Amino acid sequence: MGDDGQDGWSALAGEWSELWGAAAEPAQRALVAASGVGAGSRVLDVGCGSGEFLRLLTGLGAVASGIDPAPGMVAAARAAAPLADVRVGDAETLPWADGSFDVVTAVNALQFAEDTVGALEEFARVTVDGGFVAVANWAEGALNDLDLIEAAVAEADGEEPQPDGDLRLAGGLEQALADAGFRVVTAGVVEVPWLAADDATLLRGVLLGEDASVVRDLASVVLTAAQRFRSGGGYRLVNRYRFAVGRIER
Ligand SMILES: C[S@@+](CC[C@H](N)C(=O)[O-])C[C@H]1O[C@@H](n2cnc3c(N)ncnc32)[C@H](O)[C@@H]1O
């Protein structure tokens, strides 16, 4: 990812944390359970964003480290998880020595690496023999309520809906782990519900990063498509992440 992308994520760090930061927690807990993270585990979270997973990890007594190319995200993560060692950098070049971690994780981040398998090989390098790499990202659109809203937005823009990338499809994460030399030990799908308390929050979350004029233009499209997800005074979207865990055996 180039400078524009990093600047983009940096500028969004506050809103990302507020609107989406908590959403991945069920996936984070699935990775923790599947890779046996506990007190004293040395864990690196790659693409740590605003640091919610790092906070969860340090709360469990793990020795947590994080890395993200966006300085704004790194600043947010340091504030969210003061006990964690958080550095600026990307998945493909990790500034840690070989075998530094028991577990390396990446949640909704691996898809941004330019070389997926190269990044996973770098995760392997910094993982101890017998350690785990645990990755999660959005499942295919058909499993996510958000997809229906995004499809309505694409139609309003006269665009085709975004196709699912390989990592979103069944078996995609497992294949990438296998290609990088891991033995896949488990994989699954986990619900990651997303709540918006009101119309304004829904619009800010769905159209995160868009200019105010775009938000104005698309507001009625988003609100109409979201009616079926009304819950209480707000909205509840049930989305899903896929996850997979690989073990490094040298
Ligand atoms: C969608 S956010 C997810 C953040 C966090 N993992 C979460 O689940 O809330 C994606 C993050 O990946 C980071 N990122 C982008 N390119 C990356 C790369 N090449 N290596 C590692 N992280 C990257 C972005 O800066 C951003 O913080």
PDB file of all heavy atoms in Angstrom, residues 1 9 16 24 46-49 68-70 73 90-92 107-109 112-113, ligand 1:
ATOM      1  N   MET A   1       0.850  -1.201   0.000  1.00  0.00           N
ATOM      2  CA  MET A   1       0.000   0.000   0.000  1.00  0.00           C
ATOM      3  C   MET A   1       0.877   1.240   0.000  1.00  0.00           C
ATOM      4  O   MET A   1       1.865   1.317   0.695  1.00  0.00           O
ATOM      5  CB  MET A   1      -0.899  -0.015   1.247  1.00  0.00           C
ATOM      6  CG  MET A   1      -1.593   1.303   1.483  1.00  0.00           C
ATOM      7  SD  MET A   1      -2.739   1.218   2.858  1.00  0.00           S
ATOM      8  CE  MET A   1      -4.098   0.383   2.115  1.00  0.00           C
ATOM      9  N   TRP A   9      -5.840   5.734   5.900  1.00  0.00           N
ATOM     10  CA  TRP A   9      -6.156   5.056   7.156  1.00  0.00           C
ATOM     11  C   TRP A   9      -5.829   5.937   8.350  1.00  0.00           C
ATOM     12  O   TRP A   9      -6.546   5.917   9.364  1.00  0.00           O
ATOM     13  CB  TRP A   9      -5.416   3.718   7.252  1.00  0.00           C
ATOM     14  CG  TRP A   9      -6.042   2.626   6.443  1.00  0.00           C
ATOM     15  CD1 TRP A   9      -5.512   1.999   5.364  1.00  0.00           C
ATOM     16  CD2 TRP A   9      -7.340   2.040   6.637  1.00  0.00           C
ATOM     17  NE1 TRP A   9      -6.392   1.059   4.881  1.00  0.00           N
ATOM     18  CE2 TRP A   9      -7.521   1.063   5.644  1.00  0.00           C
ATOM     19  CE3 TRP A   9      -8.365   2.255   7.567  1.00  0.00           C
ATOM     20  CZ2 TRP A   9      -8.678   0.295   5.544  1.00  0.00           C
ATOM     21  CZ3 TRP A   9      -9.524   1.495   7.470  1.00  0.00           C
ATOM     22  CH2 TRP A   9      -9.667   0.533   6.472  1.00  0.00           C
ATOM     23  N   TRP A  16     -12.750   5.209  12.534  1.00  0.00           N
ATOM     24  CA  TRP A  16     -12.692   3.745  12.465  1.00  0.00           C
ATOM     25  C   TRP A  16     -12.899   3.151  13.856  1.00  0.00           C
ATOM     26  O   TRP A  16     -13.705   2.242  14.064  1.00  0.00           O
ATOM     27  CB  TRP A  16     -11.354   3.263  11.885  1.00  0.00           C
ATOM     28  CG  TRP A  16     -11.255   1.768  11.974  1.00  0.00           C
ATOM     29  CD1 TRP A  16     -10.666   1.034  12.964  1.00  0.00           C
ATOM     30  CD2 TRP A  16     -11.854   0.817  11.074  1.00  0.00           C
ATOM     31  NE1 TRP A  16     -10.840  -0.310  12.738  1.00  0.00           N
ATOM     32  CE2 TRP A  16     -11.567  -0.467  11.593  1.00  0.00           C
ATOM     33  CE3 TRP A  16     -12.593   0.936   9.906  1.00  0.00           C
ATOM     34  CZ2 TRP A  16     -12.003  -1.635  10.960  1.00  0.00           C
ATOM     35  CZ3 TRP A  16     -13.029  -0.233   9.276  1.00  0.00           C
ATOM     36  CH2 TRP A  16     -12.733  -1.492   9.802  1.00  0.00           C
ATOM     37  N   ALA A  24     -15.083  -6.314  15.453  1.00  0.00           N
ATOM     38  CA  ALA A  24     -14.350  -7.566  15.181  1.00  0.00           C
ATOM     39  C   ALA A  24     -14.146  -8.420  16.429  1.00  0.00           C
ATOM     40  O   ALA A  24     -13.558  -9.509  16.331  1.00  0.00           O
ATOM     41  CB  ALA A  24     -12.992  -7.237  14.555  1.00  0.00           C
ATOM     42  N   VAL A  46      -0.868  -7.893  13.382  1.00  0.00           N
ATOM     43  CA  VAL A  46      -0.433  -7.162  12.183  1.00  0.00           C
ATOM     44  C   VAL A  46      -1.633  -6.417  11.597  1.00  0.00           C
ATOM     45  O   VAL A  46      -2.718  -6.977  11.465  1.00  0.00           O
ATOM     46  CB  VAL A  46       0.154  -8.143  11.149  1.00  0.00           C
ATOM     47  CG1 VAL A  46       0.565  -7.382   9.884  1.00  0.00           C
ATOM     48  CG2 VAL A  46       1.337  -8.898  11.730  1.00  0.00           C
ATOM     49  N   GLY A  47      -1.418  -5.146  11.225  1.00  0.00           N
ATOM     50  CA  GLY A  47      -2.538  -4.321  10.773  1.00  0.00           C
ATOM     51  C   GLY A  47      -3.463  -4.053  11.935  1.00  0.00           C
ATOM     52  O   GLY A  47      -4.684  -4.181  11.819  1.00  0.00           O
ATOM     53  N   CYS A  48      -2.854  -3.651  13.051  1.00  0.00           N
ATOM     54  CA  CYS A  48      -3.582  -3.591  14.337  1.00  0.00           C
ATOM     55  C   CYS A  48      -4.609  -2.478  14.380  1.00  0.00           C
ATOM     56  O   CYS A  48      -5.430  -2.434  15.300  1.00  0.00           O
ATOM     57  CB  CYS A  48      -2.605  -3.449  15.488  1.00  0.00           C
ATOM     58  SG  CYS A  48      -1.639  -1.915  15.452  1.00  0.00           S
ATOM     59  N   GLY A  49      -4.599  -1.576  13.386  1.00  0.00           N
ATOM     60  CA  GLY A  49      -5.588  -0.502  13.381  1.00  0.00           C
ATOM     61  C   GLY A  49      -5.550   0.280  14.685  1.00  0.00           C
ATOM     62  O   GLY A  49      -4.469   0.584  15.217  1.00  0.00           O
ATOM     63  N   ASP A  68       1.297  -1.377  12.233  1.00  0.00           N
ATOM     64  CA  ASP A  68       0.358  -0.853  11.234  1.00  0.00           C
ATOM     65  C   ASP A  68       1.102   0.230  10.450  1.00  0.00           C
ATOM     66  O   ASP A  68       1.857   1.012  11.029  1.00  0.00           O
ATOM     67  CB  ASP A  68      -0.872  -0.243  11.941  1.00  0.00           C
ATOM     68  CG  ASP A  68      -2.052  -0.077  10.986  1.00  0.00           C
ATOM     69  OD1 ASP A  68      -1.986   0.827  10.115  1.00  0.00           O
ATOM     70  OD2 ASP A  68      -3.032  -0.857  11.103  1.00  0.00           O
ATOM     71  N   PRO A  69       0.891   0.287   9.123  1.00  0.00           N
ATOM     72  CA  PRO A  69       1.611   1.303   8.335  1.00  0.00           C
ATOM     73  C   PRO A  69       1.079   2.717   8.524  1.00  0.00           C
ATOM     74  O   PRO A  69       1.773   3.666   8.138  1.00  0.00           O
ATOM     75  CB  PRO A  69       1.410   0.840   6.892  1.00  0.00           C
ATOM     76  CG  PRO A  69       0.217  -0.033   6.910  1.00  0.00           C
ATOM     77  CD  PRO A  69       0.137  -0.640   8.272  1.00  0.00           C
ATOM     78  N   ALA A  70      -0.117   2.877   9.080  1.00  0.00           N
ATOM     79  CA  ALA A  70      -0.720   4.208   9.206  1.00  0.00           C
ATOM     80  C   ALA A  70      -0.370   4.822  10.566  1.00  0.00           C
ATOM     81  O   ALA A  70      -0.816   4.324  11.599  1.00  0.00           O
ATOM     82  CB  ALA A  70      -2.232   4.103   9.057  1.00  0.00           C
ATOM     83  N   MET A  73      -3.223   5.357  12.963  1.00  0.00           N
ATOM     84  CA  MET A  73      -3.702   4.129  13.610  1.00  0.00           C
ATOM     85  C   MET A  73      -2.758   3.731  14.754  1.00  0.00           C
ATOM     86  O   MET A  73      -3.199   3.306  15.830  1.00  0.00           O
ATOM     87  CB  MET A  73      -3.810   2.987  12.589  1.00  0.00           C
ATOM     88  CG  MET A  73      -4.970   3.112  11.631  1.00  0.00           C
ATOM     89  SD  MET A  73      -6.580   2.921  12.474  1.00  0.00           S
ATOM     90  CE  MET A  73      -7.632   2.514  11.054  1.00  0.00           C
ATOM     91  N   ASP A  90       4.655  -2.392   7.778  1.00  0.00           N
ATOM     92  CA  ASP A  90       3.637  -3.194   7.108  1.00  0.00           C
ATOM     93  C   ASP A  90       3.906  -4.683   7.264  1.00  0.00           C
ATOM     94  O   ASP A  90       4.948  -5.111   7.762  1.00  0.00           O
ATOM     95  CB  ASP A  90       3.467  -2.776   5.650  1.00  0.00           C
ATOM     96  CG  ASP A  90       4.727  -2.973   4.844  1.00  0.00           C
ATOM     97  OD1 ASP A  90       5.431  -3.970   5.078  1.00  0.00           O
ATOM     98  OD2 ASP A  90       5.007  -2.119   3.988  1.00  0.00           O
ATOM     99  N   ALA A  91       2.919  -5.449   6.800  1.00  0.00           N
ATOM    100  CA  ALA A  91       2.911  -6.896   7.006  1.00  0.00           C
ATOM    101  C   ALA A  91       4.099  -7.576   6.345  1.00  0.00           C
ATOM    102  O   ALA A  91       4.551  -8.629   6.800  1.00  0.00           O
ATOM    103  CB  ALA A  91       1.609  -7.476   6.437  1.00  0.00           C
ATOM    104  N   GLU A  92       4.604  -6.979   5.270  1.00  0.00           N
ATOM    105  CA  GLU A  92       5.623  -7.658   4.480  1.00  0.00           C
ATOM    106  C   GLU A  92       7.022  -7.535   5.067  1.00  0.00           C
ATOM    107  O   GLU A  92       7.920  -8.276   4.683  1.00  0.00           O
ATOM    108  CB  GLU A  92       5.624  -7.089   3.050  1.00  0.00           C
ATOM    109  CG  GLU A  92       4.334  -7.343   2.267  1.00  0.00           C
ATOM    110  CD  GLU A  92       3.287  -6.239   2.401  1.00  0.00           C
ATOM    111  OE1 GLU A  92       3.328  -5.475   3.398  1.00  0.00           O
ATOM    112  OE2 GLU A  92       2.417  -6.140   1.517  1.00  0.00           O
ATOM    113  N   VAL A 107      -6.299  -9.308  11.555  1.00  0.00           N
ATOM    114  CA  VAL A 107      -7.756  -9.274  11.461  1.00  0.00           C
ATOM    115  C   VAL A 107      -8.150  -8.174  10.479  1.00  0.00           C
ATOM    116  O   VAL A 107      -7.812  -6.997  10.688  1.00  0.00           O
ATOM    117  CB  VAL A 107      -8.389  -9.002  12.851  1.00  0.00           C
ATOM    118  CG1 VAL A 107      -9.906  -8.914  12.736  1.00  0.00           C
ATOM    119  CG2 VAL A 107      -7.986 -10.094  13.837  1.00  0.00           C
ATOM    120  N   ASN A 108      -8.834  -8.566   9.409  1.00  0.00           N
ATOM    121  CA  ASN A 108      -9.289  -7.583   8.421  1.00  0.00           C
ATOM    122  C   ASN A 108      -8.123  -6.719   7.938  1.00  0.00           C
ATOM    123  O   ASN A 108      -8.240  -5.508   7.803  1.00  0.00           O
ATOM    124  CB  ASN A 108     -10.403  -6.711   9.032  1.00  0.00           C
ATOM    125  CG  ASN A 108     -11.149  -5.860   8.019  1.00  0.00           C
ATOM    126  OD1 ASN A 108     -10.965  -6.017   6.805  1.00  0.00           O
ATOM    127  ND2 ASN A 108     -11.965  -4.941   8.497  1.00  0.00           N
ATOM    128  N   ALA A 109      -6.991  -7.331   7.706  1.00  0.00           N
ATOM    129  CA  ALA A 109      -5.785  -6.582   7.335  1.00  0.00           C
ATOM    130  C   ALA A 109      -4.942  -7.292   6.276  1.00  0.00           C
ATOM    131  O   ALA A 109      -4.311  -6.636   5.444  1.00  0.00           O
ATOM    132  CB  ALA A 109      -4.933  -6.315   8.577  1.00  0.00           C
ATOM    133  N   PHE A 112      -4.770  -6.311   2.578  1.00  0.00           N
ATOM    134  CA  PHE A 112      -4.104  -5.084   2.130  1.00  0.00           C
ATOM    135  C   PHE A 112      -2.634  -5.316   1.787  1.00  0.00           C
ATOM    136  O   PHE A 112      -1.987  -4.434   1.212  1.00  0.00           O
ATOM    137  CB  PHE A 112      -4.216  -3.988   3.197  1.00  0.00           C
ATOM    138  CG  PHE A 112      -5.648  -3.575   3.435  1.00  0.00           C
ATOM    139  CD1 PHE A 112      -6.281  -3.869   4.629  1.00  0.00           C
ATOM    140  CD2 PHE A 112      -6.366  -2.912   2.459  1.00  0.00           C
ATOM    141  CE1 PHE A 112      -7.603  -3.515   4.845  1.00  0.00           C
ATOM    142  CE2 PHE A 112      -7.688  -2.555   2.652  1.00  0.00           C
ATOM    143  CZ  PHE A 112      -8.320  -2.851   3.860  1.00  0.00           C
ATOM    144  N   ALA A 113      -2.087  -6.458   2.146  1.00  0.00           N
ATOM    145  CA  ALA A 113      -0.695  -6.756   1.784  1.00  0.00           C
ATOM    146  C   ALA A 113      -0.612  -6.958   0.274  1.00  0.00           C
ATOM    147  O   ALA A 113      -1.472  -7.619  -0.315  1.00  0.00           O
ATOM    148  CB  ALA A 113      -0.220  -8.002   2.523  1.00  0.00           C
TER     149      ALA A 113
HETATM  150  C1  LIG B   1      -9.836  -2.366   8.068  1.00  0.00           C
HETATM  151  S1  LIG B   1      -8.546  -1.845   9.128  1.00  0.00           S
HETATM  152  C2  LIG B   1      -8.607  -3.125  10.378  1.00  0.00           C
HETATM  153  C3  LIG B   1      -7.895  -2.751  11.639  1.00  0.00           C
HETATM  154  C4  LIG B   1      -7.990  -3.784  12.763  1.00  0.00           C
HETATM  155  N1  LIG B   1      -7.207  -4.967  12.473  1.00  0.00           N
HETATM  156  C5  LIG B   1      -9.415  -4.128  13.059  1.00  0.00           C
HETATM  157  O1  LIG B   1      -9.793  -5.307  12.856  1.00  0.00           O
HETATM  158  O2  LIG B   1     -10.161  -3.261  13.515  1.00  0.00           O
HETATM  159  C6  LIG B   1      -7.137  -2.317   8.155  1.00  0.00           C
HETATM  160  C7  LIG B   1      -5.810  -1.908   8.734  1.00  0.00           C
HETATM  161  O3  LIG B   1      -4.783  -2.516   7.931  1.00  0.00           O
HETATM  162  C8  LIG B   1      -3.738  -1.596   7.829  1.00  0.00           C
HETATM  163  N2  LIG B   1      -2.909  -1.927   6.651  1.00  0.00           N
HETATM  164  C9  LIG B   1      -3.008  -1.463   5.400  1.00  0.00           C
HETATM  165  N3  LIG B   1      -2.036  -1.982   4.623  1.00  0.00           N
HETATM  166  C10 LIG B   1      -1.318  -2.814   5.402  1.00  0.00           C
HETATM  167  C11 LIG B   1      -0.162  -3.625   5.192  1.00  0.00           C
HETATM  168  N4  LIG B   1       0.443  -3.724   4.011  1.00  0.00           N
HETATM  169  N5  LIG B   1       0.320  -4.320   6.244  1.00  0.00           N
HETATM  170  C12 LIG B   1      -0.278  -4.254   7.452  1.00  0.00           C
HETATM  171  N6  LIG B   1      -1.367  -3.496   7.716  1.00  0.00           N
HETATM  172  C13 LIG B   1      -1.885  -2.792   6.711  1.00  0.00           C
HETATM  173  C14 LIG B   1      -4.428  -0.246   7.722  1.00  0.00           C
HETATM  174  O4  LIG B   1      -3.570   0.838   8.022  1.00  0.00           O
HETATM  175  C15 LIG B   1      -5.562  -0.413   8.725  1.00  0.00           C
HETATM  176  O5  LIG B   1      -5.204   0.006  10.022  1.00  0.00           O
END
